[in-house]
Amino acid sequence: MDAQGRGRADNIDPADQWVLNPNTGEYELRLSPSPAQSPVPGPRRPARGDGGAPRRREDPAPGEPREARRVRPGDVPPPRNRRRGAEPEAPQGRRAARRPVKKKSKAKKALLWTGGSMAFVLVAVTAAGYLYIKHLNDNITSISDDGASTGGFRKDQAINILLIGTDKRTGAGNNGYGDAGSVGHADTTILLHVSKDRSNATALSIPRDLIVDVPDCPTEQKDGTEKVIGGTSGTRFNTSLGQADRTPSCTMRTVTALTGIKPDDFMVADFNAVKTLTEAVGGVEVCLGKDIDDPDSHLKLSKGTHNISGEQALAFVRTRHSVGFGGDLSRIGLQQQFLGALMRKLKGNATLTSPTKMVALAEAGTKALTVDDKLKSIGKLKDLGLELGKLNPKNLTFTTVPVRDNPADGVVHKTVIVDPALAPQVFDAIKNDVSFTDVKKKQKAAKDAQAARLKGTKAPASEVRVRILNGGAAGGSAQAVLNWLQNDEGVTKSENAGNAPAALARTTLEYAPDQAAQARRLAAVMGLSGSALKPGRSVTNAQGLPAMTLTLGKDFKEAGVSLTPATKAPKVDKSTADKVQCAS
């Protein structure tokens, strides 16, 4: 809403609405008339003419003694130390808003965390305008996560945000796009993983035509009741949203079932997000390796570099028939190129220091955004944006779920299935917070420390004494491991100790210093990594002898399956946000 819609009498540039708050010393954007200020020492506000606001203090009429001047309720007293006859100081409105501020402002701090994908854009522009929180909060639409998320991202943990672009034809000028009457499917989906230390991130695109199993989805209804929407086997991924009244929480559950990764939050954007955001930043630069004239997406561009925004930007990210194999996988490549370009524009766009530019971005981002109910405030979005802003574009990797053509189709790239050999490696790398770019020396040092724990003498299997606890694995796992260790691996001095006092995400093996050789042997047998070995103390087994403690965590699959987590990302097709690629 513009200033006029807020009750102003004239059409005011947003940059002129930034006012110094004397209580905080910070500039704030006021879109409505300021309430009467409490008396504080400071410059006096000059009285306006008859056509302006009511005078807070009436000056004496010509010839009238100064002592006869009347003071009305609400008048602001002059500063105590002001000299008689001194000229009044400049008002705190328009002129003060344009005065340079020497210290780093909140606006400039907000620029530090602008990101490089649709989530980065939406989050970044939201936080850029957090000085008028109430107004932007009113722009945001939220939907229940229905218990499908982790409960919201945490600053001290890795972050997984599910970004969904729908093909629902909402908003002015979108009648010519998408399927007529579409309920809004998951047309573009990206799982954005941000590492725990914020040094790197991976944006994993999920093809809309990937054949998956959509699980049953408990879904909150408008009246507050819950309805379980039945799942579907062997269907396109994009039907996890919209179809049968499925909400984004159902797409969340589908992603968890597919990858084993539970998202913290979701963010949904429509066609207008691409148009309004690119217009707000003055367009983004993309590159084409050939001329494109696509009648379906309405994109017509010559070979070379172009600055695109608005309708042309939307046409670019929707183009598929004129690039690559002409399918959804080819379009994903264009979308990744576009998002990388948008991140570079935001990171290098000096005009973002302008309050007017920030207001435009904030308005566009919040109006185009639907989030889960754990992420529905500007404060939470700002916090998320600050975490994302720690990333360097060169360490943001774009990649796609490894897939193969669906043999049931008999047609190239009509629908696809997960590559059973490569996709699990990608999912495992993300789950274990492994970077797809070489970003840090300390990561290597940590790996070396883990490897050192596994080096050295290994005790014979017959000498290994261990008590097995179930700490989050499937029921019966402790007994299954016991049987396997005793019957197949010769670890006869092992026993089932029941359930652990608390669930663990990962399997651990705790041992005393004099049990290091036993720990190395059991780690080799079970495929435990160095990080799973926890130096500590021993416990007493059923025979009264010291033993180690093996706690099976949620990562445990089954007896005999290695528990070594990924330490290196697999080789897949990928790109990074700092590099320009030309689509062909």
Side-chain angles (χ1 to χ4, degrees), residues 144-162:
S144 174
D145 72 348
D146 297 314
S149 76
T150 62
F153 80 93
R154 291 174 51 185
K155 294 182 180 180
D156 61 345
Q157 298 294 328
I159 298 174
N160 293 295
I161 305 294
L162 189 63

Side-chain angles (χ1 to χ4, degrees), residues 114-180:
T114 51
S117 68
M118 185 58 70
F120 294 172
V121 176
L122 295 174
V123 174
V125 298
T126 299
Y130 71 88
L131 292 177
Y132 62 125
I133 295 174
K134 176 66 170 64
H135 174 68
L136 294 185
N137 272 334
D138 291 342
N139 283 346
I140 299 174
T141 301
S142 65
I143 302 175
S144 174
D145 72 348
D146 297 314
S149 76
T150 62
F153 80 93
R154 291 174 51 185
K155 294 182 180 180
D156 61 345
Q157 298 294 328
I159 298 174
N160 293 295
I161 305 294
L162 189 63
L163 318 171
I164 307 170
T166 75
D167 60 354
K168 191 172 183 179
R169 304 193 309 179
T170 55
N174 293 325
N175 291 333
Y177 298 109
D179 298 329

Side-chain angles (χ1 to χ4, degrees), residues 291-357:
D291 296 342
I292 290 183
D293 187 357
D294 192 325
D296 294 305
S297 68
H298 312 301
L299 179 67
K300 186 175 182 179
L301 286 175
S302 60
K303 177 181 177 180
T305 302
H306 300 270
N307 187 278
I308 60 174
S309 65
E311 296 287 347
Q312 197 173 49
L314 178 60
F316 182 86
V317 298
R318 295 192 68 252
T319 295
R320 58 190 174 106
H321 296 302
S322 299
V323 292
F325 293 102
D328 183 52
L329 295 177
S330 299
R331 181 175 62 172
I332 286 175
L334 280 183
Q335 292 169 346
Q336 292 175 346
Q337 181 198 157
F338 171 82
L339 293 174
L342 192 50
M343 180 178 185
R344 293 192 297 273
K345 184 63 178 284
L346 283 170
K347 282 284 189 179
N349 192 355
T351 61
L352 288 180
T353 55
S354 161
T356 303
K357 179 70 69 175

